Amino acid sequence: MRVVSLVPSLTEAVAETGTLVGATDWCTHPAGLDVVRVGGTKNPKVDRIVALAPDLVIANEEENRVPDLAALREAGVEVLVTEVRDVPQALRELRRVLCACGARTSPRWLDEAEEAWSAPPPPEHRRTAVVPIWRRPWMVLGRDTFAGDVLSRLGVDHLYAGHAERYPRIPVEELRAAAPDVVVLPDEPYRFTADDGPEAFPGLPCALVSGRHLTWYGPSLAEAPRVLGEALRAASR
């Protein structure tokens, strides 16, 4: 099998199968990944992908654009498109992807991820949150998102889960007025840091969290409950 991945978290998942020949410029894991780079998730270089003669291109319905995937199919390339809205679906899709890549056995990290999420650490009490993913303009998690499901399973209910949009633009004044128990600030897609983000929410606890553990579905799922749980607990002290 010759596989090209257009999804960073799936790149990490399939890299150990030995089938990966191409990945996006944003595919940062595993460290030292040595494959042909094929552009971004939103602007892949279709001609470069086709030149690699892949047996399969792995994509995601949210991260990748329909015209790019259509162009690959028109060039005779098989494209597998994943859809992920919650943790159980992510685990199922990971098994489907690995099977399509020719994996004969289940990787240890996937078994550990399924075990970790079968009974995540019970929260002491449920908390409310707003979860910005961008600023200028401010955007937050809305309805039907994988990250929202991850947080819910860890005892955190984000306040815009019922919004009509999946990633609504909300003025920061409204976010502050919502008075959440905690503001969850991931380091991707916007890289919130201690000096860039918390200052917009004076008086509100802020949890700086790993975007890889909050939004990626791959090997990071095995440790995500512990890593995110520690960051959320630290914000409430």
Side-chain angles (χ1 to χ4, degrees), residues 64-88:
N64 306 118
R65 301 187 316 131
V66 171
D68 295 322
L69 305 184
L72 288 168
R73 290 187 173 111
E74 289 172 5
V77 177
E78 182 177 351
V79 181
L80 185 158
V81 181
T82 59
E83 179 179 345
V84 175
R85 292 288 186 271
D86 56 39
V87 172

mmCIF file of all heavy atoms in Angstrom, residues 64-88:
data_model
loop_
_atom_site.group_PDB
_atom_site.id
_atom_site.type_symbol
_atom_site.label_atom_id
_atom_site.label_comp_id
_atom_site.label_asym_id
_atom_site.label_seq_id
_atom_site.Cartn_x
_atom_site.Cartn_y
_atom_site.Cartn_z
ATOM 1 N N ASN A 64 -10.907 18.803 4.875
ATOM 2 C CA ASN A 64 -10.512 18.889 3.471
ATOM 3 C C ASN A 64 -11.675 19.342 2.604
ATOM 4 O O ASN A 64 -12.836 19.103 2.934
ATOM 5 C CB ASN A 64 -9.987 17.532 2.997
ATOM 6 C CG ASN A 64 -8.882 16.988 3.881
ATOM 7 O OD1 ASN A 64 -9.028 15.930 4.486
ATOM 8 N ND2 ASN A 64 -7.783 17.712 4.010
ATOM 9 N N ARG A 65 -11.346 19.985 1.481
ATOM 10 C CA ARG A 65 -12.362 20.573 0.619
ATOM 11 C C ARG A 65 -12.841 19.575 -0.429
ATOM 12 O O ARG A 65 -12.051 18.827 -1.002
ATOM 13 C CB ARG A 65 -11.803 21.817 -0.071
ATOM 14 C CG ARG A 65 -11.333 22.911 0.874
ATOM 15 C CD ARG A 65 -10.956 24.180 0.118
ATOM 16 N NE ARG A 65 -10.175 23.874 -1.065
ATOM 17 C CZ ARG A 65 -10.442 24.362 -2.280
ATOM 18 N NH1 ARG A 65 -11.486 25.149 -2.454
ATOM 19 N NH2 ARG A 65 -9.675 24.055 -3.320
ATOM 20 N N VAL A 66 -14.137 19.603 -0.698
ATOM 21 C CA VAL A 66 -14.751 18.704 -1.667
ATOM 22 C C VAL A 66 -14.114 18.826 -3.052
ATOM 23 O O VAL A 66 -13.847 17.799 -3.703
ATOM 24 C CB VAL A 66 -16.277 18.939 -1.732
ATOM 25 C CG1 VAL A 66 -16.904 18.174 -2.899
ATOM 26 C CG2 VAL A 66 -16.935 18.515 -0.416
ATOM 27 N N PRO A 67 -13.853 20.042 -3.582
ATOM 28 C CA PRO A 67 -13.257 20.131 -4.929
ATOM 29 C C PRO A 67 -11.904 19.431 -5.039
ATOM 30 O O PRO A 67 -11.603 18.825 -6.082
ATOM 31 C CB PRO A 67 -13.129 21.638 -5.155
ATOM 32 C CG PRO A 67 -14.171 22.243 -4.283
ATOM 33 C CD PRO A 67 -14.201 21.383 -3.056
ATOM 34 N N ASP A 68 -11.085 19.512 -3.982
ATOM 35 C CA ASP A 68 -9.782 18.846 -4.020
ATOM 36 C C ASP A 68 -9.947 17.330 -4.060
ATOM 37 O O ASP A 68 -9.250 16.632 -4.801
ATOM 38 C CB ASP A 68 -8.945 19.243 -2.803
ATOM 39 C CG ASP A 68 -8.596 20.720 -2.790
ATOM 40 O OD1 ASP A 68 -8.316 21.268 -3.873
ATOM 41 O OD2 ASP A 68 -8.634 21.327 -1.706
ATOM 42 N N LEU A 69 -10.869 16.811 -3.260
ATOM 43 C CA LEU A 69 -11.092 15.372 -3.230
ATOM 44 C C LEU A 69 -11.696 14.898 -4.555
ATOM 45 O O LEU A 69 -11.356 13.811 -5.046
ATOM 46 C CB LEU A 69 -11.999 14.997 -2.061
ATOM 47 C CG LEU A 69 -11.527 15.466 -0.676
ATOM 48 C CD1 LEU A 69 -12.467 14.957 0.412
ATOM 49 C CD2 LEU A 69 -10.100 15.034 -0.404
ATOM 50 N N ALA A 70 -12.564 15.716 -5.142
ATOM 51 C CA ALA A 70 -13.149 15.369 -6.437
ATOM 52 C C ALA A 70 -12.070 15.325 -7.516
ATOM 53 O O ALA A 70 -12.085 14.444 -8.386
ATOM 54 C CB ALA A 70 -14.232 16.378 -6.807
ATOM 55 N N ALA A 71 -11.113 16.271 -7.455
ATOM 56 C CA ALA A 71 -10.035 16.298 -8.439
ATOM 57 C C ALA A 71 -9.168 15.047 -8.329
ATOM 58 O O ALA A 71 -8.720 14.491 -9.341
ATOM 59 C CB ALA A 71 -9.187 17.548 -8.238
ATOM 60 N N LEU A 72 -8.937 14.584 -7.120
ATOM 61 C CA LEU A 72 -8.157 13.360 -6.931
ATOM 62 C C LEU A 72 -8.895 12.153 -7.500
ATOM 63 O O LEU A 72 -8.303 11.307 -8.177
ATOM 64 C CB LEU A 72 -7.863 13.153 -5.446
ATOM 65 C CG LEU A 72 -6.834 14.105 -4.828
ATOM 66 C CD1 LEU A 72 -6.853 14.002 -3.304
ATOM 67 C CD2 LEU A 72 -5.440 13.785 -5.354
ATOM 68 N N ARG A 73 -10.181 12.089 -7.241
ATOM 69 C CA ARG A 73 -10.963 10.966 -7.759
ATOM 70 C C ARG A 73 -11.005 10.987 -9.287
ATOM 71 O O ARG A 73 -10.938 9.941 -9.943
ATOM 72 C CB ARG A 73 -12.370 11.005 -7.174
ATOM 73 C CG ARG A 73 -12.428 10.660 -5.672
ATOM 74 C CD ARG A 73 -13.855 10.540 -5.198
ATOM 75 N NE ARG A 73 -13.953 10.049 -3.833
ATOM 76 C CZ ARG A 73 -14.358 10.782 -2.795
ATOM 77 N NH1 ARG A 73 -14.720 12.049 -2.979
ATOM 78 N NH2 ARG A 73 -14.419 10.253 -1.587
ATOM 79 N N GLU A 74 -11.125 12.184 -9.856
ATOM 80 C CA GLU A 74 -11.135 12.298 -11.317
ATOM 81 C C GLU A 74 -9.818 11.842 -11.917
ATOM 82 O O GLU A 74 -9.770 11.381 -13.067
ATOM 83 C CB GLU A 74 -11.431 13.749 -11.720
ATOM 84 C CG GLU A 74 -12.867 14.175 -11.449
ATOM 85 C CD GLU A 74 -13.084 15.657 -11.672
ATOM 86 O OE1 GLU A 74 -12.125 16.326 -12.138
ATOM 87 O OE2 GLU A 74 -14.190 16.144 -11.391
ATOM 88 N N ALA A 75 -8.734 11.962 -11.125
ATOM 89 C CA ALA A 75 -7.418 11.510 -11.586
ATOM 90 C C ALA A 75 -7.215 10.019 -11.355
ATOM 91 O O ALA A 75 -6.128 9.486 -11.615
ATOM 92 C CB ALA A 75 -6.320 12.303 -10.880
ATOM 93 N N GLY A 76 -8.247 9.339 -10.865
ATOM 94 C CA GLY A 76 -8.174 7.904 -10.669
ATOM 95 C C GLY A 76 -7.649 7.463 -9.325
ATOM 96 O O GLY A 76 -7.320 6.290 -9.138
ATOM 97 N N VAL A 77 -7.594 8.388 -8.363
ATOM 98 C CA VAL A 77 -7.074 8.068 -7.035
ATOM 99 C C VAL A 77 -8.230 7.701 -6.105
ATOM 100 O O VAL A 77 -9.251 8.400 -6.070
ATOM 101 C CB VAL A 77 -6.289 9.262 -6.448
ATOM 102 C CG1 VAL A 77 -5.815 8.951 -5.028
ATOM 103 C CG2 VAL A 77 -5.101 9.614 -7.340
ATOM 104 N N GLU A 78 -8.064 6.623 -5.358
ATOM 105 C CA GLU A 78 -9.080 6.248 -4.374
ATOM 106 C C GLU A 78 -8.953 7.133 -3.145
ATOM 107 O O GLU A 78 -7.848 7.328 -2.622
ATOM 108 C CB GLU A 78 -8.936 4.781 -3.965
ATOM 109 C CG GLU A 78 -10.009 4.327 -2.981
ATOM 110 C CD GLU A 78 -9.905 2.852 -2.632
ATOM 111 O OE1 GLU A 78 -9.117 2.146 -3.272
ATOM 112 O OE2 GLU A 78 -10.627 2.432 -1.706
ATOM 113 N N VAL A 79 -10.069 7.670 -2.677
ATOM 114 C CA VAL A 79 -10.079 8.574 -1.529
ATOM 115 C C VAL A 79 -11.010 8.018 -0.457
ATOM 116 O O VAL A 79 -12.174 7.712 -0.736
ATOM 117 C CB VAL A 79 -10.535 9.992 -1.924
ATOM 118 C CG1 VAL A 79 -10.521 10.918 -0.705
ATOM 119 C CG2 VAL A 79 -9.641 10.563 -3.021
ATOM 120 N N LEU A 80 -10.496 7.885 0.741
ATOM 121 C CA LEU A 80 -11.301 7.468 1.892
ATOM 122 C C LEU A 80 -11.550 8.709 2.743
ATOM 123 O O LEU A 80 -10.605 9.341 3.210
ATOM 124 C CB LEU A 80 -10.573 6.394 2.701
ATOM 125 C CG LEU A 80 -11.301 5.750 3.884
ATOM 126 C CD1 LEU A 80 -10.683 4.397 4.218
ATOM 127 C CD2 LEU A 80 -11.260 6.622 5.125
ATOM 128 N N VAL A 81 -12.819 9.048 2.944
ATOM 129 C CA VAL A 81 -13.180 10.254 3.696
ATOM 130 C C VAL A 81 -13.767 9.850 5.047
ATOM 131 O O VAL A 81 -14.739 9.089 5.114
ATOM 132 C CB VAL A 81 -14.194 11.115 2.927
ATOM 133 C CG1 VAL A 81 -14.538 12.369 3.731
ATOM 134 C CG2 VAL A 81 -13.632 11.503 1.563
ATOM 135 N N THR A 82 -13.171 10.360 6.117
ATOM 136 C CA THR A 82 -13.657 10.070 7.457
ATOM 137 C C THR A 82 -14.611 11.158 7.923
ATOM 138 O O THR A 82 -14.565 12.290 7.450
ATOM 139 C CB THR A 82 -12.493 9.966 8.457
ATOM 140 O OG1 THR A 82 -11.774 11.209 8.469
ATOM 141 C CG2 THR A 82 -11.548 8.845 8.074
ATOM 142 N N GLU A 83 -15.464 10.788 8.862
ATOM 143 C CA GLU A 83 -16.366 11.748 9.515
ATOM 144 C C GLU A 83 -16.323 11.462 11.005
ATOM 145 O O GLU A 83 -16.528 10.323 11.428
ATOM 146 C CB GLU A 83 -17.788 11.604 9.002
ATOM 147 C CG GLU A 83 -18.771 12.567 9.670
ATOM 148 C CD GLU A 83 -20.184 12.436 9.136
ATOM 149 O OE1 GLU A 83 -20.368 11.811 8.072
ATOM 150 O OE2 GLU A 83 -21.102 12.956 9.800
ATOM 151 N N VAL A 84 -16.024 12.484 11.800
ATOM 152 C CA VAL A 84 -15.860 12.298 13.236
ATOM 153 C C VAL A 84 -16.615 13.394 13.982
ATOM 154 O O VAL A 84 -16.328 14.583 13.794
ATOM 155 C CB VAL A 84 -14.373 12.313 13.640
ATOM 156 C CG1 VAL A 84 -14.236 12.252 15.153
ATOM 157 C CG2 VAL A 84 -13.639 11.143 12.998
ATOM 158 N N ARG A 85 -17.569 12.985 14.828
ATOM 159 C CA ARG A 85 -18.334 13.940 15.632
ATOM 160 C C ARG A 85 -18.229 13.649 17.126
ATOM 161 O O ARG A 85 -18.556 14.493 17.941
ATOM 162 C CB ARG A 85 -19.813 13.919 15.212
ATOM 163 C CG ARG A 85 -20.075 14.468 13.816
ATOM 164 C CD ARG A 85 -19.906 15.971 13.767
ATOM 165 N NE ARG A 85 -20.303 16.501 12.477
ATOM 166 C CZ ARG A 85 -19.516 16.634 11.427
ATOM 167 N NH1 ARG A 85 -18.247 16.249 11.535
ATOM 168 N NH2 ARG A 85 -19.936 17.135 10.296
ATOM 169 N N ASP A 86 -17.792 12.430 17.475
ATOM 170 C CA ASP A 86 -17.675 12.102 18.888
ATOM 171 C C ASP A 86 -16.600 11.038 19.067
ATOM 172 O O ASP A 86 -16.047 10.512 18.090
ATOM 173 C CB ASP A 86 -19.015 11.657 19.474
ATOM 174 C CG ASP A 86 -19.644 10.479 18.727
ATOM 175 O OD1 ASP A 86 -18.893 9.570 18.312
ATOM 176 O OD2 ASP A 86 -20.878 10.444 18.575
ATOM 177 N N VAL A 87 -16.287 10.715 20.304
ATOM 178 C CA VAL A 87 -15.196 9.787 20.600
ATOM 179 C C VAL A 87 -15.463 8.383 20.072
ATOM 180 O O VAL A 87 -14.594 7.788 19.423
ATOM 181 C CB VAL A 87 -14.896 9.776 22.112
ATOM 182 C CG1 VAL A 87 -13.893 8.669 22.448
ATOM 183 C CG2 VAL A 87 -14.342 11.132 22.551
ATOM 184 N N PRO A 88 -16.646 7.785 20.319
ATOM 185 C CA PRO A 88 -16.884 6.440 19.775
ATOM 186 C C PRO A 88 -16.743 6.380 18.264
ATOM 187 O O PRO A 88 -16.183 5.420 17.713
ATOM 188 C CB PRO A 88 -18.315 6.127 20.223
ATOM 189 C CG PRO A 88 -18.514 6.950 21.462
ATOM 190 C CD PRO A 88 -17.775 8.224 21.184
#
